[in-house]
Structures are given as C-alpha cells and as structure tokens.
Amino acid sequence: MSTKLYLGTRKGLIHVEGSPNGWEIKRTSFLGVPVPMLLPDSRDGRLIAAVEHGHYGGKLHASGDDGSTWAEIAVPVYPQGDEPVICAMSQKPIPQSLEKIWVLEAGGVDEPSVLWCGTVPGALFKSADGGASWQIVEGLWNRPERKEWFGGGMDWPGIHSICVDPRDSRHVTLGISCGGVWDTHDGGETWNLLGKGLVADFMPPGEQENPNIQDAHRIACCAANPDHLWLQHHCGIYYSTDAAKTWERIHSADPSDFGFAVAVHPQDPLTAWFVPGANDDRRVPVDASLCVMRTRDGGKTFKAVRNGLPQQNAYHLVYRHCLDVTGDGRTLAFGSTTGSVWISENSGDSWQRLSADLPPVYCVRFG
C-alpha cells in the first residue's frame, strides 16, 4: 500500500502520510498558492507540481526529495504567429498563451525522461528531458477539428485526461473538454478522433453524436487491461472495451450518472468508482447525501457506499482529478471543493475523513 498522498489545493500542496496508526498531514509546500496538478513520477521518484502564482502565471516545480526542496523547471509555451482560432461557442479568439496546466502524466517505463502535459486553452505538450523543455504536439495542434472545440465550464477548451498505454508508450489516449476522445499510436505524430457511441445531450439535434464536441469530464484506463476505459461524460457514464474506439452508455448508475471523477481498479477493469452529483444545474450530492458509487461487474450494477460519509446537509463537489486509487486497488482517497478529504482502505466499503478544514481540493494523487 502506498503511504504517501498528495493534495493539490487552492492554498498549497498538502503532504499526507499513512501508517498503522492512520493517516496524518505532515506539511505543506507552496503555502497560500494554488496547486492545480501534481505528478508523482514513479520512474525516478520526483514530484512535479503545477503552481499558479497569481499575476506571475502558471509555473512548474520539481522535487527529488519528496517536497523538502523544489526547483523551478520549464513551462509549456504556445507557438506564436499563428492565426487565432475563433472559439465555436463564444465566437472570441482563443488565447495562444498558457492559462492552466490541467494534467501531468509520465511517459512509459521505457521512456524515462518523457512527460506529457495537457493545458487550457486546449493543447498537448511533450517533454523528452524530464521537463527541462517542452514542445507542443503539432500533430494534434494542427488538426482542423481543433477549430470546433469549446470550453465545458471554462471559457476555453482544455485537455484534462492523458492515458499512456503501459504496453506501448507510443499509444496515448486523451480526453478533451469539449473536444472528445483522441488517441495516437506513434507518440503524437498522428491522431485519431474516437468516441463512437458518445452522445452530448446538450447539443442540438444532428450534432449530439459529433465525436469532436463531446464533453469528456474524465477518462481512466485499467493498467492491467488498458483496452478497458471508463469515462465520466457530462451526459452520463460510459465504458469501452476496445481502447476507446466505441463506448457503451451505462444506465444503471444510482443515485446519479452525473459527476466529474472516476477511478478504475488497476488490476480489474470491471471495477470502477465514481462520486456522483445531482445534475449539471445542481452540482451537489443527490439529496445532500454524499456517496461513492462502485461497480464490480462492468456497470451492470452499482453500489452507493455511504459508510463514513455525511448523509445530511452535504454539499461537496468532487473535481475530475480529485479521486485516486493505489496500485493494489484497496486504498482510495477523494477531496472536495469544501475542503474535506476522505480515505478508504477497503476498496471503498467504508470511508474515514482525514480533515474537514482544508482549502478547496483540486487534485488527489497517491505517490
């Protein structure tokens, strides 16, 4: 079991450690500064943190000693001189500058220095030197379909999910809000628009099945069987067994199929966890009663686990990067916009609250 847990919050990066006596907050890095994303890189033990320094903009910092000290590294830089793309929704030019580092993921074990970064406005960057420099992935940036992307809740489109196939590091799958599901089989040189079966109910008739405008809230794949992926869509929960080529909508979710976060059991593709909200208009738990939904049969049935979670006057929303699971599938953690964090050490059968006094939580990751 991992004994290290990292919480990126509105007021810093919070380090948590587990022991036989329980879980304890140990210290905070970047106190008072938003940390929207953290990558614990298991290949070399480094931590890489995205930090939003107010009017200084987004920065990246790396640590080789578990956060005792940090050094600033390069940030992605957008190409200049291109004609701006007009956002399909707002009809305003999409900025060609970094607004948010939304996701960081490590390359494969055979690519020890490769990092991937998804940003707002929607761009994908790749580093071949551990973050010392970044290059925009032109194969995706230059796709004509990018002109149709738009923001889902944000002003601009953004890339928030990056799934690197553990069998083949050159196979990478992306989730874009709102720009659907894409993958590459050659390390980013060429890209395929996927998503057959996804339906965007919020679009007008004739556009609802357009794969290029789907609002994928979060995509996660099973490490042991990466062809199996789960997707928390703006309009429901979907499951794919053919590497995201086709998707089946799951109709058995109870109490709701709306939400943002999803975690998949690393060894069992049929098992996944979600933290549901009431609906798009009311982003709070159904009946103000917090639960975690778990399926163990590929979405045929769900169990709403409530043991240890508040069942009255609970108004917690869980962002897309705020639910994580350890490699053995037994320990999970999630954090909310209200500053509460819960941990389960029995695959989600029950939960214990770490704290109710933290800043709003942006990301949760085990180290």
Side-chain angles (χ1 to χ4, degrees):
M1 181 193 76
S2 173
T3 59
K4 293 185 182 297
L5 176 65
Y6 303 97
L7 311 173
T9 78
R10 188 177 177 181
K11 297 294 183 180
L13 174 64
I14 297 173
H15 300 247
V16 181
E17 292 186 12
S19 71
N21 297 321
W23 294 82
E24 183 181 359
I25 296 173
K26 290 296 185 179
R27 65 181 185 279
T28 302
S29 300
F30 311 109
L31 181 62
V33 182
V35 178
M37 178 50 57
L38 177 88
L39 171 64
D41 193 339
S42 61
R43 300 169 304 175
D44 59 9
R46 286 195 308 164
L47 300 178
I48 301 175
V51 182
E52 294 181 343
H53 287 281
H55 82 241
Y56 295 109
K59 304 291 183 181
L60 283 171
H61 297 259
S63 173
D65 54 14
D66 195 37
S68 294
T69 59
W70 295 87
E72 187 172 342
I73 59 176
V75 294
V77 177
Y78 285 64
Q80 301 300 307
D82 295 348
E83 183 178 349
V85 169
I86 303 301
C87 179
M89 185 66 72
S90 69
Q91 295 300 303
K92 296 179 180 180
I94 298 177
Q96 294 185 142
S97 58
L98 180 66
E99 301 230 342
K100 177 179 286 292
I101 294 170
W102 213 4
V103 63
L104 292 165
E105 296 293 351
V109 294
D110 60 331
E111 299 178 328
S113 297
V114 169
L115 299 171
W116 295 91
C117 177
T119 64
V120 179
L124 180 67
F125 293 85
K126 185 177 182 180
S127 174
D129 52 18
S133 64
W134 294 88
Q135 292 74 44
I136 194 164
V137 178
E138 293 186 353
L140 186 66
W141 181 255
N142 293 329
R143 290 287 302 221
E145 294 92 340
R146 187 169 66 88
K147 295 180 180 179
E148 295 184 9
W149 298 354
F150 57 90
M154 290 191 177
D155 291 337
W156 314 117
I159 296 176
H160 52 66
S161 296
I162 302 173
C163 300
V164 179
D165 190 332
R167 304 164 303 185
D168 178 6
S169 300
R170 293 170 63 80
H171 179 210
V172 180
T173 305
L174 305 180
I176 304 173
S177 181
C178 294
V181 181
W182 292 76
D183 81 347
T184 178
H185 289 266
D186 54 19
E189 294 294 324
T190 61
W191 291 86
N192 310 293
L193 175 59
L194 309 175
K196 183 179 180 180
L198 301 179
V199 180
D201 298 340
F202 54 84
M203 294 297 290
E207 284 294 305
Q208 294 182 348
E209 297 183 30
N210 179 352
N212 196 44
I213 51 78
Q214 299 296 323
D215 189 0
H217 280 181
R218 181 70 168 148
I219 302 176
C221 76
C222 175
N225 194 338
D227 289 344
H228 290 244
L229 299 96
W230 289 88
L231 188 160
Q232 175 64 72
H233 190 282
H234 187 85
C235 302
I237 292 171
Y238 288 84
Y239 183 40
S240 174
T241 60
D242 60 2
K245 295 181 182 66
T246 63
W247 296 86
E248 177 186 358
R249 186 166 182 175
I250 303 299
H251 294 282
S252 57
D254 183 25
S256 167
D257 65 359
F258 178 81
F260 292 90
V262 53
V264 181
H265 195 296
Q267 301 166 19
D268 177 12
L270 300 180
T271 298
W273 296 265
F274 303 81
V275 187
N279 54 42
D280 181 27
D281 294 332
R282 292 179 291 124
R283 299 185 177 194
V284 298
V286 177
D287 298 325
S289 175
L290 184 62
C291 74
V292 174
M293 295 190 311
R294 180 182 61 203
T295 179
R296 285 179 162 161
D297 53 15
K300 295 178 182 177
T301 61
F302 282 83
K303 179 179 181 180
V305 180
R306 302 179 183 276
N307 187 9
L309 302 175
Q311 296 304 291
Q312 292 182 328
N313 304 315
Y315 299 99
H316 309 274
L317 179 68
V318 177
Y319 286 147
R320 64 197 76 210
H321 298 116
C322 291
L323 170 66
D324 200 14
V325 60
T326 54
D328 60 5
R330 287 196 53 80
T331 305
L332 295 99
F334 73 94
S336 77
T337 55
T338 59
S340 285
V341 173
W342 287 270
I343 300 173
S344 171
E345 295 180 297
N346 52 18
S347 299
D349 285 338
S350 61
W351 298 84
Q352 56 181 321
R353 180 143 50 183
L354 171 71
S355 175
D357 301 314
L358 302 179
V361 180
Y362 295 154
C363 72
V364 172
R365 302 198 80 163
F366 285 103

